Amino acid sequence: MQRPPRKPSIALAGALVGTLAATACSGSDAATTTTFPTWQNTQVNVVSRMAVAGGVVATTSMKPDGTLETVAVGLRDGRRLWAYPATMAGRLPGMGVSTPAIVETSQGQGVVVALDPAKSGHWNATLVARDARSGAQKWTRPMHSTFGPQRCGPYVCVSEHTALAKARTVVLDPLTGKLLWKLPGISEVEGSDQARVLLLRLAANPMVESYELKTGKLQWQQPIEQALGPGVDMSGGWAFGATGDDLVGYVAPYTNPQTKKVSAFGLFSIKIGDGTVNWMRPSVVRVYPSGNPGYAPVVRPVDRQGAYGGFARLESESGRVLGQITAADVPGSGWWLAFPDRMDKLGFLKHNAKGSAFDLATGKPVPVEEERGWSFCVTDPKPLPLRGQAPGFYSTAAVCEYDLATGKRVQGEVVPPPWFTGSQDGWRLWRDEKGAIHAVNDQTAAAPGMYG
């Protein structure tokens, strides 16, 4: 049993700031306690991913009446900085609720770009850039339809007119909104730095392409079919993770309703420097919850008849199998995947019943009595009751810790593992099942989380 996460005016003040005590074992049996800065803001209902830059967290929250708002909070304390109405115009439900783009423009300064519901003429919404700390408006750009803005290095990338034949991707200056360069068609940013942006070009023959950010010059392109074989269809969803020198991508299977044929799918890695394929793992599906494809991919092979195999944890650098369990060890039904903090074991959670667990390195079963694992808090999520939007949008999923021996949730304040939250600027951020934001600064090395 596995499922992918579905690709007020609220007073936001009063975020709670405190400390989190963590116990670590030293070389002796003695334990040392380290106190980490931590906070939570329970006065939001976060439904999108969170973006961080310039000491500010930007996200999309749903109000009780089903409308959306762009919210900015301080990274250090979680206190509200500002909030403005938000919307989506042309975004597909499988992509989830759009996240604001936030770009650091100088030390400690940034710009948040999001879609506001303001309409004018034949335009359905307005892209608005605001100062990250004050919320002061900097520029606007009318939008017919868009998948939403994204940060691309020091700039803002937006696919616009996505519902029209003249769809294009534009690169904008975050301070002025000036158009720097553009490309025909729809693109999504999958990785960027100060000099380069990696774009997934969503077309009949989807490609990953690298562009020089200042000039828009194409550096290289790699058709996804080169890695996964002919018949790629992005309708099933995708996920990418850029770590180090590589970009790891996952394309999910899609069954054509007319032909009943399943598209090519799997995992692959591209060298960011020149676009060459490092490795490929066709015909595997990514499992959930799990780490980012570029950080800690866990997959399950599928044969030509559609039968699932066991589970394998892959090394993102090489694609080699770090550990696996066989299909014969997979319980029959009624389970949900659960991984511990270090993802060195794989657990099969059975709610309110005894589950099972395996050591991923050896593939051997381990006693379940002392095992805990992180799994989805809610296994039957309901679509968000969004006003004026297509049905089928879901909030980003939350994970909870479970005792695998009893199938019961672990009580108390527990921090999700780095493979789920990722880390930015030493901070790890996550939403709980009620939509509140939580954060801890435990100086975890920068890495993408499950959602990027």
Side-chain angles (χ1 to χ4, degrees), residues 49-105:
R49 306 180 190 188
M50 290 175 270
V52 177
V56 173
V57 181
T59 189
T60 305
S61 177
M62 185 181 75
K63 301 202 291 186
D65 65 358
T67 59
L68 298 171
E69 63 180 359
T70 301
V71 176
V73 302
L75 179 60
R76 294 179 63 86
D77 56 17
R79 295 186 185 278
R80 182 185 74 163
L81 298 171
W82 50 265
Y84 284 96
T87 192
M88 295 181 288
R91 189 171 171 90
L92 306 177
M95 304 177 76
V97 176
S98 59
T99 308
I102 180 167
V103 181
E104 187 170 23
T105 52

Side-chain angles (χ1 to χ4, degrees), residues 189-235:
V189 176
E190 305 303 353
S192 67
D193 56 25
Q194 293 301 106
R196 173 202 307 269
V197 61
L198 304 174
L199 295 177
L200 169 63
R201 304 296 303 280
L202 294 166
N205 182 19
M207 298 195 182
V208 178
E209 297 180 341
S210 176
Y211 289 86
E212 186 179 277
L213 264 171
K214 284 189 177 179
T215 65
K217 178 185 176 184
L218 176 66
Q219 296 173 321
W220 54 258
Q221 60 182 187
Q222 181 60 263
I224 292 178
E225 289 192 343
Q226 291 278 30
L228 298 181
V232 168
D233 189 320
M234 307 302 287
S235 303

Side-chain angles (χ1 to χ4, degrees), residues 62 120 154 198 204 209 348 408 439 451:
M62 185 181 75
S120 62
L198 304 174
E209 297 180 341
F348 293 101
K408 296 185 183 298
Y451 284 110

Side-chain angles (χ1 to χ4, degrees), residues 207-380:
M207 298 195 182
V208 178
E209 297 180 341
S210 176
Y211 289 86
E212 186 179 277
L213 264 171
K214 284 189 177 179
T215 65
K217 178 185 176 184
L218 176 66
Q219 296 173 321
W220 54 258
Q221 60 182 187
Q222 181 60 263
I224 292 178
E225 289 192 343
Q226 291 278 30
L228 298 181
V232 168
D233 189 320
M234 307 302 287
S235 303
W238 62 88
F240 284 80
T243 53
D245 299 326
D246 304 319
L247 177 73
V248 180
Y250 169 65
V251 176
Y254 175 71
T255 303
N256 185 299
Q258 275 76 46
T259 66
K260 307 302 180 187
K261 191 173 181 181
V262 179
S263 64
F265 60 97
L267 209 65
F268 61 96
S269 170
I270 294 175
K271 192 177 296 296
I272 292 174
D274 59 16
T276 57
V277 175
N278 295 313
W279 55 264
M280 59 194 81
R281 286 273 177 182
S283 301
V284 299
V285 294
R286 181 188 180 199
V287 302
Y288 303 91
S290 65
N292 184 278
Y295 179 64
V298 181
V299 299
R300 201 173 184 191
V302 185
D303 67 19
R304 291 183 180 275
Q305 285 70 46
Y308 286 95
F311 292 85
R313 163 82 187 272
L314 304 181
E315 182 181 65
S316 61
E317 292 83 3
S318 67
R320 72 183 181 93
V321 174
L322 292 178
Q324 61 184 324
I325 68 166
T326 67
D329 290 319
V330 178
S333 63
W335 49 263
W336 294 87
L337 289 182
F339 290 98
D341 285 6
R342 290 196 300 139
M343 208 177 255
D344 54 347
K345 298 182 180 69
L346 184 151
F348 293 101
L349 166 69
K350 294 197 172 185
H351 289 284
N352 299 310
K354 185 176 181 178
S356 54
F358 293 81
D359 185 297
L360 265 175
T362 65
K364 305 290 187 188
V366 295
V368 77
E369 283 69 26
E370 300 296 323
E371 294 299 326
R372 291 181 173 186
W374 292 87
S375 192
F376 291 122
C377 302
V378 178
T379 55
D380 58 343

Side-chain angles (χ1 to χ4, degrees), residues 31-53:
T32 58
T33 299
T34 307
T35 302
F36 298 123
T38 184
W39 55 261
Q40 58 182 313
N41 188 321
T42 60
Q43 295 174 303
V44 289
N45 180 15
V46 171
V47 291
S48 77
R49 306 180 190 188
M50 290 175 270
V52 177

Side-chain angles (χ1 to χ4, degrees), residues 143-194:
M143 287 280 151
H144 173 274
S145 47
T146 178
F147 288 168
Q150 294 179 280
R151 178 181 68 84
C152 47
Y155 304 133
V156 177
C157 287
V158 189
S159 284
E160 55 185 17
H161 311 314
T162 52
L164 304 176
K166 61 178 181 179
R168 65 180 188 175
T169 301
V170 296
V171 180
L172 309 174
D173 183 303
L175 289 172
T176 65
K178 177 186 175 185
L179 175 64
L180 302 175
W181 50 275
K182 60 187 178 182
L183 295 170
I186 300 171
S187 305
E188 183 177 88
V189 176
E190 305 303 353
S192 67
D193 56 25
Q194 293 301 106

